[in-house]
Amino acid sequence: MPETNPQNGAGRPLPKKEADLFKNVIKHYETKQYKKAIKQADTILKKFPNHGETLAMKGLVLNNMAKRDEAHALVKQGLMNDMRSHVCWHVYGLLHRSDRNYNEAIKAYKQALRIEADSLQILRDLSMLQIQMRDLDGFAVTRHNILTMKPNGKINWLAFALAKHLNGDLRGAISVIDIYLGTLTEGAPELSRGFEASELAMYRNQILSEIPDNTKEALEHLETCKPIVVDETSWLISKTRFQLTLGQHAEAKETALRMFKRGMTENSRIHSLYMCAVLGLDKETCDKAYDLPGTRSIASFIPLTSEQKQQLLDAYQNEIFPEYERSAAVKRIPLNLVEGDRFRNSLDVYMRKSLVKGVPSLCLELSSFVLVEKDGKYEIASDPLDIKEHSAFKLIVELADGYISCLEANSKLLADDEFEEPPSTELWAWYLRAGLHELAGEYESGIALLDKCIEHTPTLVDLYELKGRLVRSSGDMKSAVDILDKGRDLDRQDRYINNQTTKYMLEAGMDADALDRISMFTKHEGNPEANLYDMQCSWYELGLAACYARQEKWGKALRKYACVVKHFDDFHEDQFDFHSYCIRKVTLRAYTQVLKFEDNLWSEDYYFSAASGIIKIYLYLYDNPATTQQDAEPDYSKMTAAERKKAKAIARKKKKQAEKKKAEREKKEGANGDKGDQANGGKKTDLDEDPNGEEMMKRDPLEEGKKYSAILSKHCQNKLETWALQYDVSIRRKKWLLALQALFKLQKMDSGSSEFFQRVVDFGSKASDFGEQAPAVKAVLTDGCAELLQKLSVPDFVNQAVEKVQANKIASLPLRVAVAEALMLTNTSAVDAATALIIKGGLDGRDTSVESCRKALAALKGFKSKSVPEWVSAVKQRYPRITDFS
């Protein structure tokens, strides 16, 4: 009867028996006993088939059993039957959350709270979504409501303090922590020495330090909380940085020495802090020095005067070296400070000791002495032209050649050495010299030395890796693969050399062999590619995608790039695991770092490679629409009867082959499906859906390019290629202002790059296509174009660039090619002049590599230049091993 039937919209309670069953449904759902939950929900629904909350809970359980469509239908039905139930709205929000539709989930949670404002569980779920979506204002309000309802929970106080901190209310966050600590009784664990008390104290100190001009108070608090802090390393680092900020350099030096006593002598950041204290540098320089990566220190970061270098040397000699003379960093870092004969003698001792020990990374370590100054900062030189002319490199080469001569003559590193060296020392001297040849771009000389090394000790894996790298740089990818694979065969347990072999195979287009090699370190059962996807092996997927792109398998390439993008979506989703855990465990400092990392997640190199790869493929598909129409049905109306018959036969054959491949794939998936489904909880992976990227090929290329270029322009603003791609997408979409903005960004980053020059010429040549624009927009475009072209016409701008390139003997090869192509664009009869730009001095400039030489060859062929054989001959003379170059 309707009066006693709790089925429709009044939220009437179930009878006791069914109410107990409903509680069991929730219990079984929480313990992941889904079959039992479904059984008990069905029992309720037999008697009350329209009970909204039961329908919603059943849908939620089915969703966790990978029955998404059925789950959505049931939850919506339950919600329609009882729209005044907070349970139904809560379940509806959970369903959207599982679909990562967070905005809809937040709306559902808020609707549930309108009905049941005091539900702690809904408030907690809402706060997690708000911090996930960085709705910081909403997060603060929700955490305040939870704290008001349950003020006796430590987590609620800490979460509210965190919300204040993230909102920028730093004093408010400090106040919340202090009020919480004030509620504790004497002797409480939170006031005694321990991990949680220590972390909370250091978190409070971190907030204090973020308040502008508040370093003094932060330092005083640091001293106050010292008795309860267990993380003494962080405490000492914070104290040193505060002292440097306040100009207390003598005290900062003493604190840094305390860190050395704790065994932190190998940490280059601590050495940088110590050097800043000795020199009395300003806060900005100290902060930048502390953030230097790897083994770099202040000595290799900024130019120092002779007096400053001597000051640091005296400090190391008197205060550090006597105590820590066995430390590798203490021996290595001062080498950046000495000059002249002292540098030569110190470097000589350092190199000889490393050669006797047999240190494979010695060449890489020595390359950090080859520093070039740029904008008042040092950078490690990377172009062979800079490296070969550098005085430190010349000295290193001179010393290495001297060691080799002495070792070959009398088995000694120096002629007056008392004892002879073992044969391995000569081997490592050759290995070092081969590495120096690589830095200088002298690949053939390096390969010849490595042949001697392999003849000397054919079982050393490092030799094959370096030789493979040199052969690869020389343009013979297949031989590089063979060399590296031979080295890999010497040690099949070495994951690194196996991965390097896989990378080289992908570059050589040997994707099947690459999968075979990488499979040696995956699970034996099932599909290796699925296992690599589960392990989020992005480097392999990026390499495979690039391999497919070179083979013009655009769909498969898009699919693999999309897999990497999906990994980053998963990384972003993984924040949910930390929102409650970190607050509960009071790891608030680490949690704020995780949030910062997640905010900058899309700026990671792997994501950039995947997104830029997707954009480039979609731009190619847009420029070559016939690529996506190869499988489309031909127009039979324009064919003769014989041609129509033949075309239909070909179409039937293609269709049968496609169906056969699909059936084989499904059969293979069925054979491994049970294990795979169990491993993935019954869900299909992305690899199972559109494995060949056919659906991705059907998408609008410019819309997809726009989506990814927008992400890159927001998160990867410091990369030149970001703005080059933004321009390429915008100009095709006829979004002139966005294209102009991208050009100005490129100009600011590197006005001498080939990427910038090409696009300025392209933009200038399309000025007539601006069409009808608003007067203000037209004025901005006209003025911007004139500024980029330096108020010259496009031909005059190109001619000016030609003169600059001709005057600069070391102009980069890519720039020469870009200018030559622009010259042909503006003056099709200038074939000889364009050819001369590339051929005359093209191999003597910067950025000369096998890849840039191939692009130059393509340009010359595009000009129909008669000098193609001359270029081929010149390149082969420099790179004798180069293949597929004619």
Side-chain angles (χ1 to χ4, degrees):
M1 294 177 62
E3 299 79 35
T4 59
N5 192 347
Q7 298 183 55
N8 299 309
R12 298 169 186 154
L14 287 166
K16 185 177 184 310
K17 179 182 176 183
E18 283 73 20
D20 290 340
L21 286 173
F22 186 75
K23 289 178 183 176
N24 286 336
V25 171
I26 297 173
K27 179 182 175 183
H28 291 318
Y29 165 74
E30 290 174 347
T31 56
K32 299 185 179 180
Q33 298 178 358
Y34 300 133
K35 289 185 179 179
K36 290 183 179 180
I38 293 291
K39 185 176 180 182
Q40 302 217 339
D42 286 339
T43 304
I44 299 172
L45 292 172
K46 279 181 183 177
K47 192 168 183 180
F48 304 110
N50 295 323
H51 186 247
E53 293 180 357
T54 305
L55 286 167
M57 280 305 303
K58 182 180 178 182
L60 187 60
V61 173
L62 288 173
N63 187 60
N64 281 30
M65 297 174 72
K67 299 179 180 179
R68 182 182 177 279
D69 295 337
E70 190 177 348
H72 273 266
L74 278 172
V75 172
K76 287 179 181 177
Q77 184 185 346
L79 185 61
M80 291 297 295
N81 288 346
D82 196 352
M83 296 192 73
R84 291 173 58 189
S85 167
H86 71 278
V87 173
C88 292
W89 283 106
H90 190 191
V91 169
Y92 190 54
L94 291 172
L95 200 66
H96 278 304
R97 183 185 124 171
S98 71
D99 291 340
R100 300 185 182 181
N101 191 356
Y102 299 132
N103 289 321
E104 289 300 317
I106 288 173
K107 290 178 186 177
Y109 288 156
K110 287 182 176 178
Q111 182 62 36
L113 288 170
R114 290 192 185 99
I115 300 167
E116 186 71 22
D118 296 335
S119 173
L120 275 172
Q121 186 57 52
I122 299 175
L123 283 168
R124 287 193 194 102
D125 287 345
L126 175 60
S127 70
M128 287 181 66
L129 278 181
Q130 286 170 326
I131 187 64
Q132 178 79 6
M133 297 298 291
R134 300 298 188 270
D135 177 12
L136 300 179
D137 293 331
F139 178 63
V141 171
T142 304
R143 291 314 310 191
H144 182 262
N145 292 337
I146 294 173
L147 179 61
T148 305
M149 292 169 60
K150 201 169 182 181
N152 59 341
K154 177 180 73 173
I155 292 176
N156 299 334
W157 285 98
L158 299 183
F160 186 48
L162 177 73
K164 289 275 190 182
H165 178 204
L166 296 177
N167 265 296
D169 184 4
L170 304 178
R171 285 294 177 189
I174 295 292
S175 176
V176 172
I177 294 173
D178 290 342
I179 293 170
Y180 165 66
L181 294 174
T183 64
L184 302 174
T185 57
E186 189 176 347
E190 290 85 352
L191 299 175
S192 307
R193 182 179 171 83
F195 176 78
E196 291 190 4
S198 170
E199 281 297 304
L200 184 56
M202 292 300 293
Y203 177 61
R204 185 182 187 279
N205 186 263
Q206 176 186 322
I207 299 173
L208 282 172
S209 69
E210 291 175 8
I211 299 173
D213 302 322
N214 196 51
T215 308
K216 186 176 180 181
E217 184 183 350
L219 182 57
E220 290 170 354
H221 172 261
L222 209 56
E223 294 293 348
T224 305
C225 69
K226 182 180 179 181
I228 64 170
V229 172
V230 296
D231 186 359
E232 192 170 345
T233 297
S234 293
W235 188 90
L236 287 168
I237 290 173
S238 298
K239 184 177 180 181
T240 308
R241 298 187 73 180
F242 294 160
Q243 289 169 334
L244 287 171
T245 301
L246 293 170
Q248 301 174 6
H249 298 111
E251 293 84 349
K253 187 174 79 167
E254 292 303 317
T255 310
L257 289 172
R258 286 174 61 186
M259 285 189 275
F260 288 138
K261 288 180 181 177
R262 283 181 58 80
M264 300 176 69
T265 54
E266 305 307 314
N267 190 329
S268 295
R269 289 185 169 189
I270 308 305
H271 283 277
S272 288
L273 291 178
Y274 175 77
M275 292 179 183
C276 290
V278 171
L279 297 176
L281 299 178
D282 59 273
K283 178 184 181 300
E284 184 181 355
T285 305
C286 293
D287 290 341
K288 288 180 179 178
Y290 182 75
D291 292 333
L292 288 173
T295 59
R296 294 193 67 187
S297 66
I298 195 74
S300 60
F301 173 54
I302 57 173
L304 300 174
T305 64
S306 299
E307 292 77 11
Q308 287 176 318
K309 289 181 179 180
Q310 189 58 49
Q311 192 177 353
L312 289 173
L313 284 170
D314 292 341
Y316 267 85
Q317 188 171 355
N318 298 327
E319 296 177 336
I320 298 181
F321 193 75
E323 295 285 333
Y324 315 106
E325 59 181 11
R326 299 184 65 182
S327 165
V330 170
K331 294 175 184 175
R332 162 65 185 82
I333 289 174
L335 291 178
N336 279 109
L337 302 171
V338 291
E339 298 173 323
D341 291 339
R342 195 172 176 186
F343 174 61
R344 181 190 184 94
N345 296 335
S346 301
L347 190 63
D348 178 31
V349 172
Y350 184 79
M351 289 174 65
R352 283 189 284 118
K353 284 185 177 180
S354 298
L355 289 173
V356 172
K357 286 182 180 178
V359 179
S361 60
L362 177 59
C363 182
L364 181 63
E365 183 66 34
L366 293 175
S367 68
S368 63
F369 292 112
V370 187
L371 301 170
V372 291
E373 189 176 342
K374 184 178 180 182
D375 299 328
K377 302 288 187 295
Y378 277 141
E379 292 181 357
I380 297 175
S382 57
D383 193 285
L385 284 177
D386 293 327
I387 293 172
K388 285 190 286 189
E389 295 301 318
H390 201 282
S391 57
F393 181 77
K394 291 179 179 178
L395 175 59
I396 293 167
V397 169
E398 181 185 337
L399 290 172
D401 287 341
Y403 301 147
I404 291 172
S405 298
C406 285
L407 286 166
E408 289 176 347
N410 51 31
S411 299
K412 296 178 182 179
L413 281 167
L414 297 177
D416 56 353
D417 278 354
E418 185 178 353
F419 301 104
E420 292 186 356
E421 297 293 341
S424 62
T425 305
E426 185 176 22
L427 170 71
W428 289 113
W430 288 337
Y431 182 82
L432 169 62
R433 190 64 183 93
L436 296 173
H437 280 305
E438 180 188 20
L439 292 177
E442 300 161 348
Y443 304 124
E444 289 304 311
S445 301
I447 292 168
L449 268 177
L450 286 166
D451 286 336
K452 290 174 69 175
C453 293
I454 291 171
E455 185 180 349
H456 184 285
T457 308
T459 56
L460 185 59
V461 177
D462 298 87
L463 304 176
Y464 295 90
E465 194 221 342
L466 180 54
K467 184 179 178 182
R469 200 161 69 230
L470 290 172
V471 172
R472 170 178 173 262
S473 299
S474 298
D476 188 357
M477 201 64 230
K478 298 277 184 170
S479 296
V481 169
D482 293 339
I483 292 164
L484 213 61
D485 200 34
K486 188 176 180 181
R488 180 204 61 82
D489 207 39
L490 296 172
D491 187 357
R492 297 188 178 186
Q493 303 303 311
D494 189 332
R495 185 189 292 266
Y496 169 76
I497 195 68
N498 188 77
N499 289 351
Q500 286 296 99
T501 306
T502 303
K503 284 182 182 179
Y504 278 37
M505 285 179 168
L506 290 173
E507 286 188 37
M510 303 162 62
D511 48 293
D513 294 309
L515 181 61
D516 182 56
R517 292 295 180 273
I518 196 68
S519 299
M520 294 179 177
F521 287 89
T522 62
K523 292 180 180 177
H524 295 296
E525 68 276 2
N527 182 1
E529 279 201 54
N531 185 237
L532 290 163
Y533 176 82
D534 292 337
M535 292 193 296
Q536 298 178 330
C537 189
S538 296
W539 67 263
Y540 172 77
E541 288 166 334
L542 288 172
L544 185 57
C547 176
Y548 284 145
R550 286 190 291 272
Q551 296 170 2
E552 298 190 356
K553 297 178 180 178
W554 307 115
K556 286 188 172 183
L558 286 171
R559 179 72 267 167
K560 285 300 169 187
Y561 282 133
C563 286
V564 178
V565 171
K566 176 65 167 55
H567 295 332
F568 279 83
D569 291 339
D570 291 340
F571 299 158
H572 192 258
E573 173 73 11
D574 288 344
Q575 288 179 84
F576 265 118
D577 298 334
F578 297 97
H579 294 321
S580 59
Y581 175 84
C582 289
I583 297 173
R584 191 169 67 250
K585 295 294 184 182
V586 203
T587 55
L588 298 173
R589 288 185 299 153
Y591 179 55
T592 54
Q593 290 176 358
V594 167
L595 294 181
K596 286 178 183 177
F597 168 76
E598 292 286 354
D599 289 341
N600 297 312
L601 184 65
W602 317 116
S603 64
E604 292 292 312
D605 288 343
Y606 277 174
Y607 183 84
F608 179 83
S609 298
S612 60
I614 290 173
I615 294 170
K616 288 173 184 175
I617 290 174
Y618 275 124
L619 290 178
Y620 177 86
L621 294 179
Y622 176 80
D623 294 338
N624 301 273
T627 306
T628 56
Q629 297 171 5
Q630 288 177 355
D631 297 328
E633 186 137 342
D635 185 2
Y636 296 122
S637 61
K638 297 179 180 179
M639 299 182 183
T640 62
E643 289 173 339
R644 192 181 305 118
K645 182 178 179 181
K646 184 178 179 181
K648 286 184 176 181
I650 292 171
R652 282 195 299 271
K653 186 177 179 181
K654 284 185 177 180
K655 187 177 179 182
K656 283 182 180 179
Q657 288 175 343
E659 289 174 352
K660 185 179 178 181
K661 286 181 180 178
K662 185 178 179 182
E664 288 175 354
R665 188 169 64 247
E666 288 175 352
K667 185 178 179 182
K668 187 177 179 181
E669 288 171 0
N672 298 320
D674 295 337
K675 289 182 180 179
D677 288 346
Q678 290 172 12
N680 295 311
K683 295 181 181 179
K684 286 189 174 182
T685 66
D686 272 15
L687 291 175
D688 301 320
E689 300 172 4
D690 191 25
N692 294 320
E694 292 163 359
E695 294 302 317
M696 294 187 74
M697 292 273 285
K698 295 176 183 177
R699 296 176 186 173
D700 184 343
L702 289 187
E703 282 301 311
E704 291 299 303
K706 169 192 167 186
K707 179 175 77 174
Y708 287 104
S709 65
I711 294 172
L712 296 184
S713 61
K714 180 180 179 181
H715 296 281
C716 303
Q717 297 185 7
N718 295 326
K719 291 184 184 290
L720 197 70
E721 193 178 351
T722 293
W723 300 108
L725 292 171
Q726 173 77 322
Y727 173 84
D728 293 342
V729 173
S730 300
I731 204 71
R732 287 168 173 80
R733 295 177 59 229
K734 298 191 183 301
K735 300 296 182 182
W736 308 109
L737 286 176
L738 284 176
L740 183 64
Q741 179 199 39
L743 287 176
F744 278 117
K745 293 282 187 180
L746 282 169
Q747 184 184 41
K748 185 177 180 181
M749 294 178 73
D750 188 357
S751 60
S753 67
S754 58
E755 290 85 354
F756 171 69
F757 178 79
Q758 283 176 318
R759 287 162 179 81
V760 167
V761 172
D762 180 67
F763 190 75
S765 63
K766 290 176 179 174
S768 58
D769 297 337
F770 290 162
E772 293 184 6
Q773 304 285 344
V777 174
K778 186 87 172 186
V780 169
L781 291 173
T782 305
D783 293 346
C785 186
E787 183 180 342
L788 290 168
L789 291 171
Q790 301 172 15
K791 298 184 178 179
L792 300 172
S793 66
V794 173
D796 289 343
F797 179 74
V798 172
N799 289 331
Q800 183 187 74
V802 170
E803 292 173 4
K804 287 181 180 179
V805 168
Q806 288 173 337
N808 183 5
K809 293 182 179 180
I810 59 171
S812 73
L813 180 56
L815 180 59
R816 287 175 176 273
V817 173
V819 173
E821 289 176 335
L823 185 60
M824 287 297 298
L825 182 70
T826 57
N827 183 6
T828 53
S829 62
V831 177
D832 293 339
T835 300
L837 274 179
I838 296 174
I839 292 182
K840 292 181 180 178
L843 292 175
D844 301 325
R846 297 183 182 278
D847 301 326
T848 302
S849 64
V850 167
E851 189 60 34
S852 61
C853 289
R854 292 188 192 280
K855 290 180 179 178
L857 177 63
L860 289 171
K861 287 181 176 178
F863 305 160
K864 296 181 180 178
S865 170
K866 296 177 182 178
S867 300
V868 168
E870 183 183 345
W871 178 249
V872 170
S873 176
V875 172
K876 285 189 174 181
Q877 188 175 352
R878 178 159 181 172
Y879 302 108
R881 298 171 186 269
I882 193 169
T883 58
D884 302 324
F885 193 84
S886 59

